[in-house]
Amino acid sequence: MISEHRISVGGIATSYCENGVGEPIIFLHGAGFGAEGKSSFIRQLNGLSDRFRVIAVDQLHFGGTDYPADHKYINRLGRVDHVISFIEALGLKRITLVGNSEGSFVAARVAILRPDLVSKLVLLTANSVSPAFGDDRDEAWMQACRQTYDYSGPMPSEEEYIARWRERACAQDLEGARREAYRRAAARGQYEIFQNRPEEEIDMRLYVVLQQNYIFPYLDRLQARTLIIWSKNDPTVTPDHGMKLAKLIRDSDFYLLNNAGHGVHIDQSETVNKLIRQWHT
């Protein structure tokens, strides 16, 4: 059964969920409004717990984890040290670290900085570490990102928020967790944080600078064995992005799944869980 916990991580009250026993796997969620550990990875918390100790942490200003006192947006790079300290606070080493979306940047950066903590790395539709093409193809995915991550309008109602997930085969297990996540984010003023993101988090041509500075130059020192699972149907990060990333990581395996959007671990949860199981054998 999934249990919920809070732990002090460098003085930051940090929320996380876990289920199961065995080799630890820590999951890092993305950065959209309402994102958090449990609602993002409930199908891994339940689907992998018979063999692994599955842990899904709420990163800074997400879920039940502390928000900054100034209520300012903390970017991908700013979440790295918190995750490192969280792993250390649990007394873990040589774990499997999994990231989806912006969580993939955090996961990759942690693996680069602390190979003693991460022996295996899983990147799920990892747009935040995807190389740009440097040609006309970039405008298509950048435009898709602008539309998907547009927070200029009013905060959606709970039913509007849930309706978007129902379009992606949102079953009862996920809907309950998503409603909890929405209510928590709305009550804590998370939408306003997204509305006040700095320009480098909005302009996609500036957004890629962090990965150019903190990911790509260091991939040759990445010691963690890497599994890359990609979505075929996500316009914000095309299959070509995934294949290009896989070529940059020497010890990597790449899988492309059809009928899956940005949350490949949700849309194709059974296949993703199966791949993770097989990869650990």
Side-chain angles (χ1 to χ4, degrees):
M1 185 171 66
I2 297 173
S3 58
E4 301 183 13
H5 308 272
R6 283 174 69 81
I7 186 174
S8 178
V9 176
I12 298 168
T14 301
S15 296
Y16 69 98
C17 295
E18 69 172 291
N19 196 9
V21 295
E23 183 179 344
I25 305 180
I26 293 181
F27 287 83
L28 303 179
H29 59 75
F33 169 69
E36 59 180 39
K38 182 180 178 181
S39 63
S40 296
F41 297 109
I42 191 167
R43 291 178 177 172
Q44 285 65 53
L45 284 160
N46 287 322
L48 292 170
S49 60
D50 60 322
R51 179 177 169 189
F52 302 100
R53 180 186 178 189
V54 185
I55 301 167
V57 60
D58 294 342
Q59 297 176 73
L60 294 174
H61 70 58
F62 290 94
T65 290
D66 277 353
Y67 280 31
D70 60 10
H71 242 52
K72 289 186 177 180
Y73 187 83
I74 299 173
N75 69 12
R76 295 152 281 158
L77 191 62
R79 300 178 209 136
V80 171
D81 286 344
H82 176 247
V83 170
I84 290 174
S85 297
F86 173 74
I87 297 170
E88 292 178 327
L90 293 185
L92 300 176
K93 292 184 177 180
R94 309 296 293 165
I95 65 164
T96 297
L97 188 58
V98 184
N100 168 240
S101 192
E102 285 205 358
S104 63
F105 179 100
V106 180
R109 185 64 182 166
V110 171
I112 289 166
L113 292 175
R114 295 294 302 273
D116 58 312
L117 298 181
V118 183
S119 64
K120 299 182 183 70
L121 178 66
V122 183
L123 304 176
L124 304 171
T125 315
N127 58 331
S128 62
V129 293
S130 300
F133 299 119
D135 57 32
D136 292 343
R137 289 176 294 175
D138 286 340
E139 183 53 38
W141 68 263
M142 286 184 178
Q143 181 59 31
C145 287
R146 294 184 194 106
Q147 294 174 352
T148 301
Y149 302 110
D150 180 9
Y151 294 97
S152 60
M155 184 178 73
S157 68
E158 181 175 330
E159 293 308 317
E160 289 171 335
Y161 179 79
I162 294 300
R164 297 173 187 174
W165 288 98
R166 284 205 185 102
E167 293 174 0
R168 296 169 49 189
C170 177
Q172 187 173 0
D173 62 335
L174 185 59
E175 180 169 332
R178 286 288 174 186
R179 287 188 180 277
E180 292 177 8
Y182 174 90
R183 293 167 187 171
R184 189 160 24 242
R188 302 187 75 186
Q190 189 187 74
Y191 198 81
E192 289 78 8
I193 291 179
F194 278 93
Q195 288 185 313
N196 293 300
R197 288 171 298 161
E199 185 66 21
E200 60 267 21
E201 294 297 311
I202 300 172
D203 186 335
M204 296 309 299
R205 298 190 185 280
L206 298 177
Y207 181 86
V208 300
V209 171
L210 282 186
Q211 60 212 49
Q212 291 169 346
N213 289 341
Y214 294 97
I215 300 295
F216 301 147
Y218 305 99
L219 288 180
D220 60 349
R221 71 173 65 170
L222 188 62
Q223 298 180 28
R225 182 183 169 209
T226 304
L227 172 64
I228 302 172
I229 305 176
W230 220 259
S231 305
K232 189 175 181 181
N233 313 105
D234 181 2
T236 69
V237 54
T238 66
D240 285 344
H241 282 99
M243 289 183 278
K244 188 173 181 179
L245 177 62
K247 292 177 181 177
L248 296 176
I249 302 175
R250 288 175 297 178
D251 188 12
S252 66
D253 298 307
F254 177 80
Y255 292 88
L256 180 64
L257 303 187
N258 198 7
N259 298 319
H262 196 56
V264 63
H265 57 291
I266 297 171
D267 299 335
Q268 292 288 352
S269 57
E270 291 186 6
T271 302
V272 168
N273 292 350
K274 181 179 179 180
L275 287 172
I276 292 174
R277 286 175 181 276
Q278 293 175 338
W279 188 64
H280 277 80
T281 58

